[in-house]
């Protein structure tokens, strides 16, 4: 379980996170929802140790963040994190050089799933394919948790559908996923837990199945209630 | 340790195309300066002996022997090495900033690698050291080749050949980079490494605190330089109490202490303060 307890972060005098507390379990898809500036990306970066936070605690399976613990987590940011001149096969080599939990077989499987070629250069990929390669790099790791930052951001509908298909495939099952997205409609039916954020605070946290069955509401209905009052 | 080696190799390979270009430029300009000098001397010999009927002895009395010494001390010969040194210096800054700049933020990937983050610091430092050693080794290796060009153009009677050791001693920067005694080698490279560590730490301060960090980094850098040169201030206050040698060792000790502090500070910044 990834657990955040009272995480606070400021940039200068501006508060970005004001005591964020939530949990994301293995085998579940947890979706962080909020408008731009709500702190979604900062939360993922804080979990990965990519941005410092001033207060609170983040643990992964009960342990504090360390290089060993971080091998349990893979992060898929919304920016390309590979060198532009690399070909996809060079990126595979880089990952297999450095990560013990890199699964080359799965990487090839996802490559085929997305209909990408190993010889393609990162710099020549379309936006949709860049997002797919980013996703591939994260999913091909044998990690217990996957953090995805806006995987649908700015890509065409067919790429979105392909990426959404990943969530219901064996590539994700049994793993804990934390995803941030604006495009909630694409994956609403797939998420297990929603965490609604505003101004660096968790406004509401709920299990989607429960809300659907007990209150007959969709995630979007709950979002309307919370954000529009 | 294995991952550290891979990191160093990865960093080195990223600079390799530019580095090879630099080495080619060094060779071409130095070879051109030797060819130019050799043909200039040859035409002087021809003119003096054929046109003016001077004897070999008279020519040598007036002009001396043609030798690599005359080329090694020229500006044009040193120019490519200065270019290479400046490029490597710029790369000391760029080796960090390139991972943050542009659309492809590779720093995400580096910071997420399953290695202690201080290894990124050391791998980049080791890469810089390799680049410098590589450049020195290349320069030493091409000296005999350049002398062969001279030998091909100038007759042996008008030429004074040098050993590689002799050529190294004739080139100021090689005398500095490859000193004859080991202690000088340690001191020269010790100061060089300390300077790189200081610059790296300043960059990490800036990358951690951004705008505020610029001032903090400048303050840290100036403070460190003042400390390194503080023995000279002490020397003025104590009216030349210390020998030059003692001052140098004091500076060296301060540089080592500052380097250790900088490494610890960089480790802290990389683990607790750095931002993507």
């Amino acid at each position: 379980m990834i657990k955040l307890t009272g995480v606070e972060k400021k940039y200068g005098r501006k508060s970005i996170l004001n005591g964020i507390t939530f949990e994301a379990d293995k085998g579940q898809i947890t979706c962080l929802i909020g408008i731009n500036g709500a702190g979604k990306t900062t939360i993922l970066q804080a979990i990965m140790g990519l941005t410092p936070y001033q207060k609170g605690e983040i643990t992964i399976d009960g342990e504090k963040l360390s290089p060993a613990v971080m091998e349990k987590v893979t992060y898929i940011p919304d920016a390309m994190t590979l060198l532009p001149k690399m070909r996809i096969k060079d990126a595979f080599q880089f990952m297999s050089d450095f990560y013990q939990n890199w699964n080359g077989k799965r990487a090839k499987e996802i490559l085929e799933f997305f209909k990408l070629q190993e010889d393609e250069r990162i710099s020549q990929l379309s936006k949709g394919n860049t997002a797919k390669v980013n996703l591939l790099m994260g999913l091909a790791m044998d990690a217990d948790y996957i953090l995805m930052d806006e995987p649908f951001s700015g890509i065409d509908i067919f790429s979105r559908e392909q990426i959404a298909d990943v969530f219901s495939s064996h590539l994700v099952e049994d793993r804990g996923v934390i995803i941030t997205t604006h495009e909630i409609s694409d994956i609403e039916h797939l998420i297990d837990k929603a965490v609604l954020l505003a101004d660096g605070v968790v406004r509401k946290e709920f299990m989607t199945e429960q809300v659907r069955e007990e209150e007959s509401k969709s995630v979007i209905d709950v979002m309307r209630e919370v954000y529009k009052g | 340790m294995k991952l550290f080696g891979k990191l160093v190799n990865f960093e080195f390979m990223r600079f390799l195309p530019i580095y090879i270009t630099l080495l080619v430029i060094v060779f071409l300009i130095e070879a051109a300066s030797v060819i130019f000098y050799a043909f200039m001397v040859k035409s002087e010999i021809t003119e003096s002996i054929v046109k003016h009927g001077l004897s070999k002895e008279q020519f040598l009395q007036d002009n001396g022997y043609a030798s690599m010494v005359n080329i090694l001390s020229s500006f044009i010969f040193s120019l490519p090495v200065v270019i290479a040194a400046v490029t490597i210096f710029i790369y000391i800054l760029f080796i960090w900033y390139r991972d943050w700049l542009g659309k492809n933020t590779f720093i995400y990937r580096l910071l997420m690698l399953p290695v202690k983050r201080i290894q990124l610091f050391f791998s980049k430092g080791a890469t810089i050291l390799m680049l410098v050693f590589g450049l020195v080794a290349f320069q030493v290796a091409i000296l005999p080749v350049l002398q062969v060009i001279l030998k091909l153009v100038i007759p042996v009677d008008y030429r004074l050949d040098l050993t590689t050791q002799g050529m190294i001693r004739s080139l100021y920067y090689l005398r500095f980079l490859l000193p004859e005694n080991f202690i000088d080698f340690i001191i020269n490279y010790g100061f060089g490494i300390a300077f790189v560590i200081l610059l790296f730490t300043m960059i990490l301060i800036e990358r951690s605190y951004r705008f505020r960090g610029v001032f903090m980094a400048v303050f840290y850098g100036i403070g460190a330089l003042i400390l390194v040169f503080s023995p000279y201030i002490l020397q003025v206050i104590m009216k030349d109490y210390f020998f030059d040698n003692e001052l140098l060792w004091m500076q060296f000790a301060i540089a080592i202490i500052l380097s250790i502090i900088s490494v610890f500070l960089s480790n802290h910044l990389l683990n607790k303060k750095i931002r993507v």
Side-chain angles (χ1 to χ4, degrees):
Chain A
M1 174 201 293
I2 294 180
K3 187 174 178 184
L4 283 81
T5 315
V7 175
E8 290 184 20
K9 176 173 175 63
K10 286 182 178 179
Y11 281 125
R13 288 179 191 167
K14 194 183 173 196
S15 284
I16 306 296
L17 306 178
N18 289 308
I20 295 286
T21 299
F22 74 89
E23 295 168 1
D25 285 315
K26 239 173 127 176
Q28 285 186 349
I29 298 176
T30 303
C31 189
L32 303 184
I33 302 164
I35 55 165
N36 286 338
K40 304 183 298 289
T41 300
T42 309
I43 289 172
L44 299 189
Q45 289 182 349
I47 295 170
M48 293 308 294
L50 296 173
T51 194
Y53 53 94
Q54 283 79 37
K55 281 188 187 169
E57 191 179 54
I58 299 175
T59 57
I60 296 168
D61 292 340
E63 292 178 82
K64 287 189 176 180
L65 307 183
S66 68
V69 173
M70 295 314 288
E71 286 215 55
K72 292 183 177 181
V73 190
T74 176
Y75 177 41
I76 304 163
D78 66 345
M80 173 50 78
T81 60
L82 296 165
L83 297 175
K85 65 178 177 184
M86 274 181 171
R87 292 179 192 278
I88 292 176
K89 63 181 175 190
D90 301 330
F92 282 9
Q93 187 58 50
F94 175 85
M95 299 298 277
S96 96
D97 276 351
F98 286 98
Y99 289 92
Q100 276 188 332
N101 58 353
W102 173 254
N103 188 329
K105 202 175 147 195
R106 190 189 293 148
K108 295 220 164 153
E109 185 190 338
I110 304 170
L111 197 74
E112 280 172 27
F113 178 81
F114 283 140
K115 298 183 175 60
L116 294 166
Q117 301 298 319
E118 268 192 334
D119 284 327
E120 287 184 81
R121 264 189 212 284
I122 301 293
S123 58
Q124 288 166 354
L125 295 172
S126 65
K127 195 157 185 182
N129 282 349
T130 301
K132 288 174 195 168
V133 171
N134 246 355
L135 200 66
L136 186 163
M137 292 299 153
L139 291 173
M141 308 264 269
D142 284 331
D144 294 340
Y145 301 96
I146 306 167
L147 313 185
M148 296 184 198
D149 194 8
E150 303 281 1
F152 305 109
S153 174
I155 56 172
D156 62 80
I157 187 163
F158 302 111
S159 298
R160 283 205 327 241
E161 280 174 2
Q162 254 189 322
I163 291 174
D165 284 345
V166 167
F167 289 90
S168 51
S169 73
H170 68 287
L171 296 167
V172 161
E173 67 184 12
D174 298 336
R175 304 211 244 177
V177 176
I178 302 180
I179 181 171
T180 72
T181 183
H182 287 110
E183 322 286 339
I184 189 71
S185 53
D186 286 319
I187 54 159
E188 190 191 351
H189 59 292
L190 296 168
I191 62 178
D192 300 296
K193 186 186 212 176
V195 178
L196 305 189
L197 298 160
D199 302 322
V201 183
V202 176
R203 295 280 293 274
K204 192 173 174 85
E205 182 182 351
F206 58 95
M207 300 304 289
T208 54
E209 187 74 25
Q210 202 178 345
V211 167
R212 261 182 231 122
E213 285 181 5
E214 293 176 9
E215 301 177 34
S216 304
K217 287 176 186 169
S218 67
V219 175
I220 295 171
D221 293 334
V222 180
M223 281 171 68
R224 282 201 189 100
E225 281 176 12
V226 170
Y227 291 121
K228 291 189 172 175
Chain B
M1 200 61 202
K2 199 175 152 195
L3 286 182
F4 178 75
K6 285 180 180 174
L7 268 177
V8 175
N9 179 56
F10 181 75
E11 287 289 350
F12 188 79
M13 296 308 280
R14 287 175 79 185
F15 191 63
L16 195 61
I18 300 173
Y19 192 56
I20 288 173
T21 311
L22 272 177
L23 297 184
V24 170
I25 289 172
V26 168
F27 180 76
L28 289 179
I29 297 183
E30 290 187 354
S33 67
V34 172
I35 292 167
F36 178 76
Y37 170 79
F39 278 98
M40 192 182 74
V41 172
K42 193 182 179 185
S43 89
E44 278 173 11
I45 294 170
T46 313
E47 197 173 328
S48 302
I49 293 171
V50 178
K51 277 192 182 170
H52 304 293
L54 286 181
S55 67
K56 185 183 87 181
E57 288 73 21
Q58 280 174 312
F59 176 84
L60 290 175
Q61 203 173 7
D62 292 345
N63 299 288
Y65 284 100
S67 160
M68 284 294 285
V69 173
N70 303 325
I71 308 165
L72 296 174
S73 55
S74 69
F75 169 73
I76 193 77
F77 191 88
S78 301
L79 184 67
V81 180
V82 172
I83 293 170
V86 169
T87 308
I88 291 176
F89 176 77
I90 292 169
Y91 194 64
I92 292 174
L93 310 177
F94 192 57
I95 200 170
W96 285 103
Y97 282 109
R98 68 184 298 182
D99 294 329
W100 265 274
L101 300 176
K103 269 164 61 185
N104 298 279
T105 45
F106 193 62
I107 193 65
Y108 277 88
R109 185 63 56 204
L110 285 182
L111 292 177
M112 288 192 295
L113 287 177
V115 295
K116 286 188 174 159
R117 289 183 179 174
I118 195 66
Q119 287 200 28
L120 301 176
F121 182 97
F122 288 129
S123 67
K124 287 179 190 287
T127 304
I128 298 292
L129 201 61
M130 278 170 65
L131 296 176
V132 173
F133 281 140
L135 180 65
V136 172
F138 179 76
Q139 178 65 85
V140 171
I142 63 172
L143 284 174
V145 178
L146 296 173
Q147 187 163 250
V148 168
I149 298 173
L150 199 67
K151 284 179 181 174
L152 289 173
V153 180
I154 311 282
V156 66
D157 293 344
Y158 293 89
R159 217 179 58 217
L160 188 66
D161 293 336
L162 297 176
T163 59
T164 304
Q165 182 74 1
M167 286 188 272
I168 291 170
R169 296 295 128 226
S170 305
L171 248 175
Y172 169 73
Y173 65 85
L174 275 186
R175 263 202 322 267
F176 178 78
L177 291 168
L178 286 174
E180 275 178 334
N181 81 56
F182 183 66
I183 297 291
D184 287 344
F185 180 86
I186 295 292
I187 287 177
N188 293 353
Y189 280 92
F191 277 120
I193 292 168
F195 181 65
V196 172
I197 289 174
L198 178 65
L199 278 179
F200 277 11
T201 307
M202 288 169 69
I203 291 167
L204 291 177
I205 292 172
E206 189 280 322
R207 288 288 81 196
S208 297
Y209 298 99
R210 302 295 160 104
F211 185 67
R212 250 188 322 153
V214 175
F215 298 100
M216 291 161 74
V218 169
F219 183 75
Y220 185 77
I222 292 173
L225 289 178
I226 290 172
L227 275 175
V228 170
F229 287 99
S230 61
Y232 287 98
I233 301 168
L234 202 64
Q235 180 79 324
V236 172
I237 295 166
M238 296 183 74
K239 294 177 179 143
D240 294 338
Y241 179 78
F242 299 107
F243 291 113
D244 285 349
N245 210 21
E246 289 174 324
L247 286 173
L248 185 68
W249 280 109
M250 283 162 76
Q251 278 189 297
F252 190 64
I254 292 169
I256 287 177
I257 292 166
L258 275 172
S259 298
I260 293 168
I261 292 169
S262 295
V263 168
F264 276 101
L265 177 59
S266 297
N267 186 41
H268 173 71
L269 292 171
L270 280 166
N271 287 321
K272 304 283 182 195
K273 301 289 178 190
I274 207 78
R275 283 197 249 156
V276 289

